[in-house]
Amino acid sequence: MDLPTLPLRARRKGEPANETRALILDAAQTLFAAHGFEATSMRMITTTAGVNLAAVNYHFGSKDELVRAVILRRLQPLNALRMLALDEAEAAAGDAAVKARTIVECFFGGSLTMAAESGQGREFMRLLGRTFTEPSAVVRDCLAVEYAPVIARYRDALSRALPTVPVEDIVWRLHFMFGAMSHAVSGLDALQAVTGVQVEGPDAMKRMVPRLMSFLLGGLRAPLPEAV
């Protein structure tokens, strides 16, 4: 099995511990995104990071805690940005409900900006997509804690913006939107393989963003089914 190429070096004497920690987190994120949480071994992580197992145990204690740390490193700032964006949108709207388009942009805008960037931001979004298809207990518990207050805020905001849509349908549509975004940012190679249309390029993800936002908003506003 080929490992992703990363700088391989051991911690030098006197090197700050947080640099070693960052090396481990970067290596683990790359490997988790490429191979999944279960298929990635600690040996793969230590080899890619250029550290020994003792360093991983010192900083994280276990693989489960390393998985949690990799997710939280970028998910917590992303969710904080989502809350701040909605705070600002609600303040600007005053007593009126925030428009559905604005709510969708507040929630998914930061994610899609990360996905459109090259490097670790895009890689993390691909990893986040895996959390919905490979929900181990530690991943599921981590996401439940981190997403609960955010989803509650956005569910309530969408309910005010779309008062004719039942709360249950709001939740379902959020679920579908998560799935659409995760699939879209996981890579364009599958799209090219199925359609034969070449959509790759240095700005392919950036060109995808407005298309995805339009799709998400359309799904959110879709007519309710006559019978469920």
Side-chain angles (χ1 to χ4, degrees):
M1 179 182 297
D2 294 331
L3 298 179
T5 301
L6 285 177
L8 302 181
R9 65 179 181 86
R11 180 184 172 190
R12 296 185 296 269
K13 185 177 181 179
E15 180 183 48
N18 59 348
E19 290 187 15
T20 300
R21 189 176 191 276
L23 279 174
I24 297 168
L25 288 170
D26 290 346
Q29 176 179 286
T30 296
L31 292 166
F32 290 151
H35 305 291
F37 298 103
E38 294 299 325
T40 299
S41 68
M42 294 296 277
R43 184 193 64 81
M44 292 167 66
I45 294 169
T46 56
T47 299
T48 302
V51 301
N52 57 34
L53 184 59
V56 179
N57 290 334
Y58 171 78
H59 287 285
F60 303 101
S62 68
K63 182 180 177 182
D64 283 352
E65 288 306 311
L66 175 57
V67 168
R68 193 187 308 275
V70 168
I71 294 173
L72 295 184
R73 180 171 60 154
R74 288 188 168 85
L75 182 58
Q76 285 185 332
L78 178 60
N79 279 342
L81 181 63
R82 286 166 167 160
M83 296 291 255
L84 177 61
L86 187 55
D87 285 342
E88 293 177 347
E90 289 178 338
D95 294 332
V98 180
K99 293 182 178 180
R101 173 182 293 275
T102 300
I103 296 171
V104 171
E105 290 173 349
C106 288
F107 190 88
F108 291 103
S111 301
L112 294 175
T113 297
M114 290 178 67
E117 296 172 350
S118 60
Q120 296 244 334
R122 180 183 300 181
E123 185 179 78
F124 176 72
M125 292 312 302
R126 290 176 176 173
L127 172 62
L128 202 56
R130 277 192 178 273
T131 66
F132 296 103
T133 58
E134 301 178 31
S136 67
V138 63
V139 171
R140 183 171 57 249
D141 292 346
C142 180
L143 295 183
V145 171
E146 295 304 316
Y147 273 118
V150 182
I151 294 300
R153 280 285 311 280
Y154 274 83
R155 179 199 61 212
D156 292 345
L158 286 170
S159 293
R160 290 193 296 272
L162 303 169
T164 62
V165 181
V167 173
E168 182 181 4
D169 283 275
I170 293 290
V171 173
W172 273 113
R173 293 178 186 201
L174 279 170
H175 175 65
F176 299 148
M177 292 162 76
F178 264 117
M181 185 195 70
S182 297
H183 182 73
V185 304
S186 65
L188 302 176
D189 52 339
L191 174 62
Q192 294 180 158
V194 171
T195 65
V197 178
Q198 297 299 311
V199 295
E200 279 287 11
D203 65 341
M205 293 297 289
K206 291 182 180 180
R207 288 186 284 111
M208 179 271 292
V209 168
R211 292 174 169 84
L212 178 59
M213 290 295 286
S214 176
F215 179 84
L216 295 177
L217 190 61
L220 182 63
R221 292 172 168 170
L224 292 171
E226 295 182 1
V228 178

